[in-house]
Amino acid sequence: MQEVIISKNDANQRLDKFLLKAYPNLKTSAMYKAIRNKKIKVNRKRAQYDQKLVEGDVLLLFLPPDLLEKETKKIQPAKKLDVIYEDDQIVVMNKPAGLLSMKDQATEQDTLNDRLLSWLVANKRYDPNVEQSFTPSIAHRLDRNTSGLVLAGKTAQAARDLSLAIAQNQVHKYYLAITDQYPKQGLIELYLKKEGTRALVSDRPKDQYDLAKMKVKTLQQKDGLYLSQIELMTGRFHQIRACLAYLHTPLWGDLKYKGTPNKKGYYLQAYKIDLNDTPFHQANVVEIPKSKQIHLEFNQ
């Protein structure tokens, strides 16, 4: 028999969700059978698979030891992580262009998410040997060659709140983009559909196409290049890249969307995040320092 005390990061989730995360050897069918047969109890009472766990709950697990073996969490050696903002709930990082947000294959890869975990462990913000079901993770992704701000929750509740705020468009994101043609200004409304590794665009509603909204404001012009701020009002796949290309002003260097080639690829940076409409309003507006923002002199 094993006794488990539910911690703050384990609370506010269903019993079955907790068990599947905490015990990778415990398969779904075996877990539900054990709950039905009273082999899993909460506070010494019969458990329900969908009951919400509360901090301080005591689980009694009358199961074979091999089903209760914990997974050893592999933490990569610490690598550089550019942290722009941190408080008790969230971390905001500046992802460099060329770095994956998360793994896209089973082999070992250098990713922002792994760097985050290494940084949290090294700075004693997270202990994988103490946590039972919670592993910090980035709350959203940027394309590999897009740089800029990425959010992560440091607690389970913060991670849930971040995910919900992003889904409800309460996190306001602003990008900097470089084109070699003057882009359309103001509100842009188009319709996007993901197909493979590209986004298809329509100027009118179509089946399986989702509304994509953003605002464009050109800030600077120099030597035939244009630096624009883009406020995302929806978060579709390749939204900025595909919409600008559809309007005949693709990102300079974005070959996937027929941009003019340059040696260093395209320039797109998530440079500012407004959190005032979220539970994390204490962070206010987080912005990459001016010295790290993309500008028209990058390739001059």
Side-chain angles (χ1 to χ4, degrees):
M1 187 271 290
Q2 186 175 124
E3 179 179 287
V4 178
I5 299 175
I6 297 301
S7 70
K8 186 174 182 179
N9 277 333
D10 300 323
N12 298 317
Q13 62 180 315
R14 289 172 24 159
L15 172 63
D16 55 352
K17 302 296 184 184
F18 167 79
L19 292 170
L20 292 174
K21 283 189 277 187
Y23 302 101
N25 290 346
L26 182 59
K27 303 306 179 185
T28 304
S29 58
M31 176 194 64
Y32 288 132
K33 182 178 180 181
I35 292 173
R36 288 196 305 270
N37 293 336
K38 302 180 186 179
K39 299 294 186 182
I40 298 175
K41 295 185 177 183
V42 178
N43 299 325
R44 299 188 178 276
K45 297 179 182 178
R46 181 173 189 148
Q48 301 296 324
Y49 74 90
D50 59 350
Q51 72 181 85
K52 280 287 185 72
L53 296 174
V54 177
E55 184 178 2
D57 278 348
V58 178
L59 273 58
L60 299 179
L61 309 175
F62 299 91
L63 297 170
D66 62 305
L67 296 183
L68 299 179
E69 289 181 359
K70 293 295 188 76
E71 181 181 21
T72 301
K73 295 175 181 176
K74 185 177 181 181
I75 304 299
Q76 302 292 336
K79 292 187 178 180
K80 182 179 180 182
L81 184 71
D82 187 10
V83 175
I84 303 297
Y85 174 85
E86 181 195 13
D87 60 28
D88 290 341
Q89 295 182 303
I90 64 172
V91 179
V92 186
M93 302 150 284
N94 179 21
K95 184 187 85 68
L99 180 67
L100 284 169
S101 294
M102 299 190 77
K103 289 183 178 180
D104 61 3
Q105 53 186 269
T107 58
E108 188 170 307
Q109 294 176 299
D110 181 19
T111 70
L112 181 69
N113 201 64
D114 284 336
R115 291 189 185 191
L116 167 66
L117 285 176
S118 298
W119 184 86
L120 289 170
V121 170
N123 290 278
K124 302 187 185 307
R125 269 71 159 178
Y126 169 66
D127 187 344
N129 298 314
V130 171
E131 292 293 344
Q132 300 178 111
S133 67
F134 173 65
T135 302
S137 177
I138 59 175
H140 58 105
R141 305 185 188 196
L142 293 177
D143 291 342
R144 183 171 197 156
N145 293 316
T146 299
S147 63
L149 299 178
V150 177
L151 293 152
K154 294 170 61 179
T155 67
Q157 188 60 52
R160 287 191 287 268
D161 289 344
L162 264 181
S163 179
L164 181 61
I166 291 170
Q168 295 180 341
N169 293 321
Q170 295 172 339
V171 178
H172 305 298
K173 302 175 186 177
Y174 298 81
Y175 287 70
L176 293 174
I178 295 178
T179 62
D180 60 353
Q181 298 182 65
Y182 186 70
K184 180 181 177 181
Q185 303 293 293
L187 179 64
I188 293 173
E189 294 185 332
L190 294 167
Y191 298 85
L192 267 62
K193 173 186 176 183
K194 181 181 178 182
E195 189 167 280
T197 62
R198 293 176 57 86
L200 305 181
V201 184
S202 170
D203 59 4
R204 64 192 67 187
K206 293 173 66 174
D207 185 39
Q208 298 184 10
Y209 281 67
D210 295 313
L211 177 64
K213 297 174 64 175
M214 63 187 193
K215 291 181 180 178
V216 179
K217 180 182 178 182
T218 296
L219 306 175
Q220 188 181 359
Q221 174 184 356
K222 183 177 181 181
D223 298 332
L225 298 178
Y226 301 87
L227 177 68
S228 299
Q229 174 188 275
I230 300 175
E231 177 187 354
L232 277 189
M233 303 172 74
T234 56
R236 309 303 181 198
F237 175 76
H238 285 187
Q239 178 171 326
I240 294 174
R241 298 170 63 188
C243 288
L244 289 178
Y246 182 82
L247 296 171
H248 309 294
T249 56
L251 293 176
W252 184 47
D254 191 356
L255 300 183
K256 181 182 286 286
Y257 290 98
K258 300 183 179 180
T260 304
N262 73 64
K263 294 180 180 179
K264 298 184 179 180
Y266 66 80
Y267 288 97
L268 181 62
Q269 180 184 59
Y271 86 105
K272 182 168 67 174
I273 294 179
D274 184 340
L275 295 167
N276 281 301
D277 291 338
T278 75
F280 312 100
H281 50 80
Q282 74 279 359
N284 195 3
V285 177
V286 182
E287 184 173 336
I288 292 175
K290 294 287 186 183
S291 61
K292 297 180 180 181
Q293 292 178 16
I294 63 172
H295 49 80
L296 294 183
E297 287 73 26
F298 263 37
N299 292 280
Q300 305 304 308

